[in-house]
Amino acid sequence: MNDPDRAGKEMHALVERLHPICRSMTGDGVRRTLEIIGESIPLDVHEVPTGTQVLDWTIPQEWNIRDAYVKDASGRRVIDFTETPLHVVGYSMPVEATMPLSQLREHLHTLPDQPGLVPYRTGYYAANWGFCLSEDALRELQDGEYEVRIDATLADGHLTYAEHVVPGELDDEVMIVCHTCHPALANETLAGIAVAVQLAQALAESRPRHTYRFVFAPGTIGSITWLARNRDRVDRIKHGFVLACAGDPGHLTYKRSRRGDTLIDRAAAHVLSAREHELLDFTPYGYDERQFCSPGFNLPVGLLTRSPNEAYPEYHTSADDPGFVTPAAMADTLVAVREIVEVLEGNRTYLNLQPYGEPQLGKRGLYRSPALHKDNKQHQMAILWILNYSDGDHSLLDIAERSAIPFTALVEAARALSEGGLLDEAAQQPSQSPGERA
């Protein structure tokens, strides 16, 4: 875990393994995905029956597909599900028919502006069927009769999601959400899952202060289902973020929660400030942060991506393959996530036990001459900032934001001051933003 190169390679290998699986809102592809994740971290898998009411939604029928194709008059598969699950519109009804190209065209989807790519399309909640192919492939189809087959079932079953919990000293929870419903999209879906798995493994090696809850669920209705089944305990979620689009070459992007100034929002902004990044205000469009941030719940949940959804040309196309994501980019995302976690774990509010005048640091062994080493200056400045602002109202993150000193340097200085008898933790600790605590 401390070796970014190794972590990057392990994450990329997981992306490659998961990529061929046909996932959708429900079905065996989701279960197989969770089985593979479960080889790395233990999962509590939940099956919610078709017809179950979840807030304003109802669990749909389960969709599974075995094969699908379009054959020309010679029997050649001109569209073949076995090449990529993107070739079939998700949740397509079963079909077995022969039809002319003019009729078939009504069920074909392409990207005219990206003629070499296959789009990703779904037909949730619509009794229809379709195929996706490149615009180039469509242009090669000749008039004539085509055999069309989608060997799929749509029947009562279950919606499947899973959780992994790393217990902490506190019941307060940090929630990390990844969606599991999209097939053959390496960056948009699978890179986030891979980063989450690595983070969960790292957290399990220590005893964190917070409890960490990882949720792997289909987009939208998966999070709605989780919220419906956990309404009596959502107040435990003190911090959280959705993790997606985590492996592309773009810089990191954080979208704030609906509240905008929660501790997770501030922690992410502070960590990303040290690198090229973008901060976005909340909008009710995107991934599942909009479910957790719906006004009735209004949870402190943001969204962490590299390039945001729809902001890169490979998004929801066949170009979002394992070659598009890189071990280095996923390793960089993992480092940022770990640093955000370090802020959440290490943020404390302290009291200066010698607040009248500046205490003598030398006699306590707390003075490092800045002239002797360049790191000493940062350490001494961290000590002075902490002593001055440790009045019970300012956390280490508050001080980091004001001083521009790295959070880890402030944690080290606070530890030294505590051991030197000059600092003690305040009774009220910062689980939220200063305004919310007030």
Side-chain angles (χ1 to χ4, degrees):
M1 186 62 211
N2 292 323
D3 182 349
D5 290 340
R6 178 180 176 184
K9 291 176 182 177
E10 290 178 357
M11 288 185 286
H12 198 268
L14 180 58
V15 167
E16 289 182 314
R17 187 177 177 196
L18 293 173
H19 188 260
I21 299 172
C22 183
R23 282 168 293 276
S24 188
M25 183 168 48
T26 62
D28 291 336
V30 176
R31 295 187 185 94
R32 178 56 183 153
T33 298
L34 296 177
E35 286 176 3
I36 293 173
I37 296 171
E39 294 174 9
S40 300
I41 55 174
L43 294 179
D44 185 9
V45 178
H46 305 271
E47 299 270 14
V48 186
T50 297
T52 303
Q53 189 72 23
V54 287
L55 304 182
D56 193 45
W57 296 59
T58 304
I59 299 297
Q61 289 188 311
E62 181 177 321
W63 183 71
N64 285 292
I65 183 169
R66 287 170 289 274
D67 193 15
Y69 57 80
V70 174
K71 289 183 180 180
D72 62 15
S74 70
R76 179 176 66 92
R77 291 193 179 200
V78 294
I79 307 175
D80 189 354
F81 168 77
T82 62
E83 292 180 354
T84 172
L86 294 180
H87 274 316
V88 176
V89 172
Y91 259 69
S92 284
M93 303 291 291
V95 176
E96 192 162 2
T98 300
M99 62 187 69
L101 180 60
S102 58
Q103 181 180 351
L104 176 61
R105 279 180 179 273
E106 299 175 5
H107 299 275
L108 300 182
H109 304 270
T110 67
L111 294 168
D113 294 337
Q114 296 173 289
L117 302 181
V118 179
Y120 164 62
R121 296 286 185 270
T122 63
Y124 299 151
Y125 311 109
N128 209 332
W129 60 271
F131 287 88
C132 296
L133 69 164
S134 71
E135 180 72 15
D136 289 342
L138 176 60
R139 291 169 183 166
E140 293 181 0
L141 297 183
Q142 304 296 314
D143 288 336
E145 296 290 307
Y146 288 84
E147 180 186 345
V148 179
R149 187 174 188 222
I150 298 179
D151 183 9
T153 57
L154 192 60
D156 287 353
H158 298 82
L159 179 143
T160 310
Y161 72 94
E163 297 175 279
H164 170 75
V165 176
V166 180
E169 297 173 6
L170 304 175
D171 290 335
D172 292 353
E173 292 188 3
V174 179
M175 171 180 275
I176 298 163
V177 182
C178 300
H179 58 267
T180 57
C181 52
H182 293 169
L185 298 179
N187 183 54
E188 195 261 1
T189 297
L190 302 179
I193 291 174
V195 171
V197 168
Q198 284 281 331
L199 177 63
Q201 290 176 322
L203 287 169
E205 296 174 358
S206 61
R207 176 70 170 177
R209 186 162 65 105
H210 296 87
T211 293
Y212 285 79
R213 182 173 300 274
F214 294 80
V215 178
F216 302 92
T220 304
I221 195 168
S223 292
I224 286 173
T225 299
W226 188 93
L227 286 164
R229 289 163 60 90
N230 292 275
R231 291 186 72 163
D232 60 342
R233 59 180 309 280
V234 294
D235 58 336
R236 296 185 184 181
I237 306 300
K238 303 302 182 183
H239 324 284
F241 56 90
V242 176
L243 188 56
C245 304
D248 67 83
H251 59 247
L252 284 161
T253 302
Y254 179 77
K255 175 182 170 183
R256 298 179 180 93
S257 70
R258 183 175 180 268
R259 301 183 200 175
D261 65 346
T262 65
L263 186 55
I264 184 65
D265 299 324
R266 296 170 60 215
H270 177 72
V271 167
L272 297 190
S273 67
R275 62 187 79 200
E276 185 181 1
H277 73 285
E278 185 175 9
L279 295 177
L280 303 176
D281 288 330
F282 176 79
T283 59
Y285 176 77
Y287 288 113
D288 283 358
E289 72 282 353
R290 69 188 195 274
Q291 309 306 332
F292 297 101
C293 293
S294 56
F297 293 108
N298 200 23
L299 295 174
V301 175
L303 168 66
L304 183 67
T305 64
R306 297 190 73 83
S307 299
N309 55 305
E310 301 183 358
Y312 55 98
E314 296 82 3
Y315 181 77
H316 278 193
T317 76
S318 55
D320 187 356
D321 60 18
F324 175 57
V325 302
T326 67
M330 286 188 286
D332 181 60
T333 303
L334 179 61
V335 169
V337 170
R338 290 200 67 181
E339 290 176 0
I340 292 170
V341 166
E342 287 173 359
V343 174
L344 298 178
E345 288 291 297
N347 197 32
R348 301 284 197 281
T349 298
Y350 289 97
L351 286 172
N352 182 346
L353 301 180
Q354 295 284 345
Y356 298 100
E358 191 174 289
Q360 185 178 3
L361 302 176
K363 69 180 183 181
R364 296 176 172 87
L366 295 172
Y367 180 75
R368 300 180 188 173
S369 173
L372 296 179
H373 198 282
K374 62 180 181 178
D375 290 342
N376 288 355
K377 182 175 181 180
Q378 179 175 269
H379 181 74
Q380 292 306 138
M381 290 303 298
I383 282 180
L384 295 178
W385 274 94
I386 291 172
L387 286 173
N388 195 275
Y389 276 91
S390 289
D391 52 9
D393 291 328
H394 295 87
S395 70
L396 291 183
L397 182 55
D398 295 326
I399 299 170
E401 291 171 336
R402 285 174 176 259
S403 67
I405 295 174
F407 185 85
T408 52
L410 292 171
V411 170
E412 179 187 351
R415 184 181 300 113
L417 287 166
S418 296
E419 293 172 353
L422 291 176
L423 212 62
D424 197 9
E425 287 192 31
Q428 182 178 346
Q429 288 299 308
S431 62
Q432 298 175 335
S433 67
E436 292 171 310
R437 296 198 303 274

